[in-house]
Amino acid sequence: MAEERTADSRKCGHHHWLLPLGAALGGLLSSACAMSASMGSTQIQVQSGGTSGTSSPIAAGLELVFLLTLVSLLPTILVVMTSFTRIVIVLSFVRTAIGVPQLPPNQVLIGLSLFLTVFVMAPTWQAINRDALQPYLRGEIDQRTALERGLKPLRDFMFRQTRERDIALFMNLGNLPRPRNPDEVPTWVLVPAFILSELKTAFTMGFVLFIPFLVIDLIVSSTLMAMGMIMVPPVVISLPFKLLLFVMVDGWDLLVRSLVTSFGAG
């Protein structure tokens, strides 16, 4: 009997903690019900731009999906609609031309490209913040107007870096009429034309950067062949000379200066 009482007391002791927990949950539920009752008249409405002034749950859901999709596409927008493409390709060309594919590491090149992109695109970001973001946050304009205003500085930047022949190429591929002014060029035509122009510019700069290092490789190879040292890899001998040349001319300074100034007035 004593053992049964002890077991019962232990069971009761194990279940004693349920009573305060149940009381706390009940208090939370009652407070939540009271809060919902007091806030029942408060509703969050998202206007979908209708003339009747009523909000549509479907329109609000579509706007939310659009915003989430836009946030998920931000990395892609950073890559294809800014100066990032040209910068990272030219830096990769320089690393390959020197002959050290592992140095600088990819993380360093991407980090440098990101910060150079921020520096080059700073005037564009400031224009977007001034003309679109801040008026939208103050409630002066709606989402569509903010998007149109924010897209205009970005389009101006892309137009300054895009060749006319690339725009004409995509206009012809899309069977679109010849535009009379830049405003008639759709954004979905401007973006691929801009990417194509950036690739052409980056490869052109990469070719120019390859020339001095190629000359060093040719000189070293010719010297080794003249000395009869055919079994010695020319890369082993030319690499120190290429590094010495790059350091003596302050190559990183010249490279960054050339990259930034190639975009003109940002």
Side-chain angles (χ1 to χ4, degrees), residues 71-89:
V71 171
S72 64
L73 291 177
L74 282 179
T76 305
I77 294 175
L78 175 64
V79 171
V80 302
M81 299 179 66
T82 62
S83 58
F84 180 83
T85 302
R86 183 191 305 183
I87 294 173
V88 72
I89 290 177

Side-chain angles (χ1 to χ4, degrees), residues 124-135 137-138 150 153:
T124 304
W125 303 140
Q126 293 172 0
I128 294 174
N129 181 65
R130 181 183 64 251
D131 300 334
L133 181 59
Q134 293 302 323
L137 294 178
R138 291 194 297 265

Side-chain angles (χ1 to χ4, degrees), residues 70 123-155:
L70 184 62
T124 304
W125 303 140
Q126 293 172 0
I128 294 174
N129 181 65
R130 181 183 64 251
D131 300 334
L133 181 59
Q134 293 302 323
Y136 175 73
L137 294 178
R138 291 194 297 265
E140 300 175 357
I141 56 177
D142 57 1
Q143 295 178 2
R144 178 173 300 180
T145 306
L147 182 61
E148 293 176 354
R149 291 186 180 181
L151 195 59
K152 187 179 184 306
L154 202 57
R155 283 173 56 90

